[in-house]
Amino acid sequence: MSSRRDAPRWVVYSCGKTNEHLPGMNMSSNAMRIPSVDALLRDESAAPLIDTYGRRAVTDAIREDLTMLRTGAGGFDSDSISILGRVEGLLEDSAAPSLKRVFNLTGTVIHTNLGRAPLPEVAADAMHEAAMGAVNLEYDLDKGRRGDRDAHLEDLICELTGAEAATVVNNNAAAVLLTLSALARRREVPVSRGELIEIGGSFRMPDIMKSAGVKLVEVGTTNRTHAKDYEGAMSARTAMIMKVHMANYRIEGFTAEVEEKTLADIAHRHGVPFVVDLGSGTLTDFERLGLPHEPTPMQALATGADIVTFSGDKLLGGPQAGIICGRKDLVAKIRKNPMKRALRLGKVSIAGLSAVLSLYRDPDRLEQRLPVLRLLTRDAVEIEAQARRLMRPVLDALGGAFSVQVVACQSQVGSGALPVEQLPSWGLALTPSSGGRGKVLDRLAAKLRGLPKPVIGRIADGALLLDLRCLAPGDEQEFVEQLLSGDKGET
Ligand SMILES: *Cc1c(COP(=O)(O)O)cnc(C)c1O
């Protein structure tokens, strides 16, 4: 009996958990030599750390390191210099923001997971300016009284789309939700079965309709929907006809969809609005830029749409936002809906969106001034030359463990826009010099993701492919320098 009772006590002491409560019981000779927290804080090399990170954070980090030393993880030096060196590392790690710039070499230009459209400098400047102080966000400077935040964007959107009125929310999903909620709550909305899509991040059209309190009436079939299907679905409970732009997939073969003009006519004959969710809305003629055709809000409105919604950060090339424009009475109703308050756009985004929309006033220089268009229209010959320039330094950085080839590849627009079309591009294919491909490539990809400015490529056909379409020539040097300063080889 007694030996059994003794055993657990011995275990408790030896694991050191009770160190601080039982002074002297468990001090190894190593622990005796560990400097105190106070002594470390007074050490001259602690001063710059306290300056940068604050006393509280330095104290916590020292405690963390001392705990590690005392619990004897082993192999660590317990002199002040070593401790404070590790403490600096801890502080650096915990102070680094989680959100950081990366190199998008995935080949997908508008990559939702990588933050979509890069903004032009004029927009970034405007956002910085708005962020730094008070602005007349909802203040009418002429009248000296409360104003409306939409006022900063409405005229510009109307000018560029031909709409009578416009309002803006946090993203296009919010624009759809708000439009449905304001115009169709507790009523029915017919939508083609071919348009009941899921957009990335599990945003499903049927679910959004349910959350808006709208009864979805499915019409037609997945591949074919006819005007008579819509006609048959119209009733006294119908609130609107809604068309969802086929954003992220395409049905090919034996298909039929009803023209927007016809849908608008059916809706108007039944006295209800025709609403179009365009998804990606560009405000410029894509064919003129040598890109595949993309429908625009002005075309949709001219064809008879009463309300059009689209994203701010897809093809438009601006910050995250959702734009709703169209008939004045309907926009007024949407703006008055209480949900608008919950979905409204912040001042920083309004400033950025306003700057981007202003660029559309000069369509001739748009593709030079708007990064998203600059990337989409980048000449394949130029990208190839860049790939040839970068081949050697990348090969040097990888230290012989990989072969590097200049390869032709295909970029995508991304974010559901123009799903089938691909853009001819060039990249570097990194292939392991010896076997073990899968794991070796995964490790290389992880290593590139671990760089100070992470490099994100894609693994395809036994190689790690870095599509260079989105590597701006001005960022090339930074890209190469951080690769070369990393340690070589052992991937
Ligand atoms: C992308 C998209 C949305 C959602 O827009 P967000 O700006 O991502 O919220 C809605 N509808 C369609 C058709 C889309 O393509």
Side-chain angles (χ1 to χ4, degrees):
M1 276 302 274
S2 73
S3 69
R4 269 197 200 172
R5 218 178 277 145
D6 286 344
R9 279 179 61 202
W10 180 82
V11 170
V12 167
Y13 292 153
S14 77
C15 80
K17 275 185 193 150
T18 52
N19 250 0
E20 300 193 339
H21 307 292
L22 298 169
M25 287 291 287
N26 192 41
M27 286 260 192
S28 66
S29 57
N30 184 41
M32 298 285 207
R33 279 188 267 109
I34 295 176
S36 73
V37 174
D38 281 339
L40 287 161
L41 283 170
R42 280 194 308 270
D43 193 290
E44 65 174 14
S45 51
L49 298 182
I50 293 170
D51 233 29
T52 309
Y53 302 102
R55 193 172 193 86
R56 162 84 67 90
V58 176
T59 310
D60 288 349
I62 289 175
R63 289 220 169 95
E64 193 177 329
D65 192 75
L66 296 192
T67 303
M68 203 178 63
L69 277 178
R70 287 203 197 96
T71 51
F76 296 110
D77 292 325
S78 58
D79 60 290
S80 306
I81 301 278
S82 305
I83 293 173
L84 289 171
R86 287 192 302 268
V87 161
E88 181 169 16
L90 279 175
L91 289 164
E92 264 171 17
D93 285 351
S94 72
S98 160
L99 189 73
K100 51 180 137 179
R101 283 286 296 275
V102 303
F103 286 107
N104 172 14
L105 305 189
T106 61
T108 301
V109 177
I110 308 173
H111 199 304
T112 297
N113 302 145
L114 301 181
R116 292 197 182 160
L119 295 182
E121 213 152 288
V122 283
D125 289 347
M127 292 168 96
H128 178 85
E129 187 63 23
M132 296 303 286
V135 294
N136 59 331
L137 179 63
E138 289 184 351
Y139 189 77
D140 186 327
L141 291 172
D142 286 337
K143 304 199 173 94
R145 61 168 190 240
R146 203 201 144 125
D148 187 330
R149 66 179 64 207
D150 282 348
H152 306 290
L153 294 165
E154 186 169 20
D155 288 351
L156 200 46
I157 296 169
C158 291
E159 178 190 321
L160 296 168
T161 61
E164 289 171 9
T167 183
V168 180
V169 286
N170 193 38
N171 51 43
N172 188 37
V176 174
L177 181 70
L178 178 63
T179 301
L180 286 167
S181 186
L183 304 182
R185 191 164 197 82
R186 283 198 272 278
R187 293 169 70 197
E188 295 179 355
V189 175
V191 180
S192 164
R193 286 201 166 87
E195 294 168 13
L196 294 176
I197 56 171
E198 173 178 312
I199 301 147
S202 66
F203 171 98
R204 291 182 167 178
M205 219 18 117
D207 296 337
I208 211 101
M209 296 187 88
K210 199 186 279 173
S211 353
V214 170
K215 181 162 189 297
L216 165 67
V217 179
E218 299 184 20
V219 300
T221 60
T222 304
N223 59 330
R224 290 173 72 84
T225 301
H226 306 280
K228 64 177 191 303
D229 297 324
Y230 281 96
E231 290 282 7
M234 302 303 286
S235 79
R237 294 176 303 278
T238 307
M240 64 166 71
I241 291 181
M242 182 160 177
K243 166 123 186 134
V244 183
H245 182 55
M246 304 274 271
N248 48 6
Y249 79 124
R250 183 172 293 174
I251 298 173
E252 293 190 38
F254 185 55
T255 63
E257 66 176 318
V258 186
E259 300 244 331
E260 286 186 13
K261 177 84 182 70
T262 312
L263 286 179
D265 289 345
I266 297 172
H268 297 157
R269 236 183 304 118
H270 288 83
V272 295
F274 174 47
V275 173
V276 178
D277 170 19
L278 265 189
S280 237
T282 175
L283 295 174
T284 191
D285 181 354
F286 260 40
E287 277 156 292
R288 192 183 56 87
L289 298 174
L291 292 167
H293 174 77
E294 174 72 19
T296 62
M298 37 284 204
Q299 283 160 355
L301 291 167
T303 318
D306 299 288
I307 288 289
V308 176
T309 75
F310 55 100
S311 277
D313 56 354
K314 290 185 181 171
L315 291 176
L316 187 73
Q320 182 187 303
I323 296 162
I324 304 172
C325 62
R327 239 168 68 191
K328 197 169 187 136
D329 59 325
L330 297 176
V331 171
K333 212 165 160 187
I334 290 167
R335 195 180 277 145
K336 274 210 296 272
N337 187 279
M339 223 183 248
K340 168 68 163 53
R341 171 65 179 79
L343 303 174
R344 72 187 185 187
L345 199 60
K347 66 170 181 176
V348 174
S349 304
I350 289 175
L353 186 56
S354 167
V356 168
L357 288 172
S358 297
L359 295 181
Y360 280 89
R361 283 180 155 160
D362 182 2
D364 299 334
R365 276 185 295 173
L366 199 56
E367 61 184 296
Q368 284 88 52
R369 295 161 90 188
L370 199 60
V372 78
L373 291 185
R374 203 159 58 217
L375 296 177
L376 289 172
T377 58
R378 226 182 135 194
D379 191 359
V381 173
E382 186 202 315
I383 307 174
E384 183 186 359
Q386 184 179 32
R388 299 207 179 280
R389 262 197 316 275
L390 289 174
M391 192 189 98
R392 190 76 231 175
V394 170
L395 188 64
D396 289 348
L398 296 173
F402 291 84
S403 73
V404 179
Q405 273 160 320
V406 173
V407 293
C409 59
Q410 302 281 327
S411 315
Q412 300 184 5
V413 178
S415 275
L418 308 166
V420 179
E421 267 77 35
Q422 305 223 301
L423 310 166
S425 184
W426 287 82
L428 296 173
L430 318 183
T431 323
S433 310
S434 50
R437 290 201 160 180
K439 276 209 179 108
V440 180
L441 281 178
D442 286 346
R443 246 180 291 148
L444 176 63
K447 195 168 173 188
L448 294 182
R449 288 197 306 273
L451 288 166
K453 183 167 171 179
V455 173
I456 322 281
R458 70 174 194 267
I459 292 178
D461 304 326
L464 178 62
L465 178 66
L466 307 178
D467 184 328
L468 298 174
R469 172 173 294 274
C470 295
L471 182 63
D475 293 340
E476 237 173 67
Q477 197 180 348
E478 186 189 9
F479 172 75
V480 168
E481 276 172 8
Q482 76 158 358
L483 275 188
L484 287 171
S485 68
D487 45 348
K488 295 190 181 190
E490 36 59 73
T491 26

